[in-house]
Amino acid sequence: MALVPCQVLRMAILLSYCSILCNYKAIEMPSHQTYGGSWKFLTFIDLVIQAVFFGICVLTDLSSLLTRGSGNQEQERQLKKLISLRDWMLAVLAFPVGVFVVAVFWIIYAYDREMIYPKLLDNFIPGWLNHGMHTTVLPFILIEMRTSHHQYPSRSSGLTAICTFSVGYILWVCWVHHVTGMWVYPFLEHIGPGARIIFFGSTTILMNFLYLLGEVLNSYIWDTQKNPPSWQDMKIKFMYLGPSS
């Protein structure tokens, strides 16, 4: 009943997320004391999503080890439910939200860091913690996709779920602004209402794109390992947006 390297790696990733969350919550920043606390930031929500996801991964690994060879059908049914939850979380939340946070943060940061992560925050958040929140999320989730097969839900239900999450977060950001008169992210203060609508719509579209990207990447890694497709084949598959097989 020995742990294999990928199971040990998942446990290490889970512990790293727990450490990042604990260190982040221990920081006494003014924004943590205002309405919504840390929960108004997508970065923090993503950290919670990643920690819960890898927690489910570790729980699935342990359950699989304990169930293996037992012949207990009830335990096997519970394990299948756990695997289904793990796969759903990766497809709908962990991959698209995680990649979104990393990509959007660093793009805006490169353009003008004051719009997303003011220099003042360097006095509160050390560099390693910033990378733990905004950088390592991407390699961790890619490692998980590469080391474990995940069954994606139907495309319609998956896109519906990620749209619900995206719209829900946008409404939450607008509500925080309604209550406090301040936008969660500084750059929203510098653009007009029309530009905000375009930005919010674009982020929802990007989330849907990232869901589809995750589906294609998962298929590329696992469904064709014996005969990997050419780059042209992968582009054709990604452009096809009909019902999943």
Side-chain angles (χ1 to χ4, degrees):
M1 202 167 67
L3 292 172
V4 297
C6 62
Q7 294 170 335
V8 175
L9 183 59
R10 287 189 201 101
M11 195 171 295
I13 293 174
L14 172 61
L15 291 175
S16 73
Y17 276 123
C18 291
S19 174
I20 291 169
L21 281 168
C22 289
N23 278 276
Y24 179 75
K25 291 298 290 182
I27 296 172
E28 295 184 2
M29 289 195 302
S31 59
H32 289 180
Q33 313 305 321
T34 57
Y35 183 81
S38 303
W39 291 98
K40 57 181 173 284
F41 300 111
L42 186 60
T43 291
F44 179 77
I45 294 173
D46 178 52
L47 286 175
V48 173
I49 288 172
Q50 302 298 330
V52 171
F53 169 69
F54 279 99
I56 293 173
C57 288
V58 170
L59 184 59
T60 301
D61 289 338
L62 294 176
S63 299
S64 178
L65 288 173
L66 294 173
T67 304
R68 187 178 300 163
S70 67
N72 188 314
Q73 293 186 349
E74 179 59 28
Q75 287 183 346
E76 291 178 358
R77 278 196 296 269
Q78 295 302 320
L79 177 59
K80 287 180 181 178
K81 290 181 180 178
L82 202 56
I83 292 173
S84 296
L85 176 60
R86 179 201 68 183
D87 293 349
W88 184 90
M89 272 209 72
L90 177 125
V92 172
L93 293 174
F95 182 86
V97 178
V99 176
F100 178 90
V101 166
V102 173
V104 173
F105 175 84
W106 286 113
I107 289 172
I108 297 177
Y109 186 98
Y111 176 74
D112 182 358
R113 69 167 294 178
E114 295 298 320
M115 296 176 67
I116 190 74
Y117 191 82
K119 196 170 180 60
L120 176 66
L121 291 179
D122 290 342
N123 298 324
F124 300 94
I125 303 176
W128 71 266
L129 186 56
N130 178 31
H131 285 292
M133 297 188 297
H134 297 116
T135 305
T136 58
V137 173
L138 180 58
F140 284 169
I141 203 66
L142 290 177
I143 288 170
E144 170 59 25
M145 290 192 78
R146 182 61 185 84
T147 55
S148 296
H149 175 264
H150 297 275
Q151 182 67 44
Y152 264 61
S154 67
R155 184 168 292 162
S156 59
S157 64
L159 290 175
T160 299
I162 191 61
C163 278
T164 300
F165 175 85
S166 301
V167 173
Y169 180 69
I170 290 169
L171 293 176
W172 169 232
V173 168
C174 292
W175 177 253
V176 171
H177 175 261
H178 172 75
V179 172
T180 66
M182 299 285 291
W183 288 104
V184 173
Y185 302 103
F187 72 89
L188 292 174
E189 300 279 0
H190 304 292
I191 60 177
R196 289 192 201 106
I197 292 173
I198 293 173
F199 174 76
F200 289 144
S202 299
T203 57
T204 302
I205 292 172
L206 179 57
M207 282 285 199
N208 281 267
F209 171 81
L210 291 174
Y211 174 86
L212 294 172
L213 176 63
E215 182 182 335
V216 170
L217 185 60
N218 182 70
S219 175
Y220 174 74
I221 292 172
W222 292 101
D223 294 351
T224 54
Q225 275 197 335
K226 291 184 179 179
N227 185 26
S230 66
W231 172 241
Q232 185 65 26
D233 292 337
M234 189 175 178
K235 285 201 299 184
I236 292 172
K237 181 164 186 171
F238 183 76
M239 291 170 62
Y240 174 68
L241 301 181
S244 301
S245 56

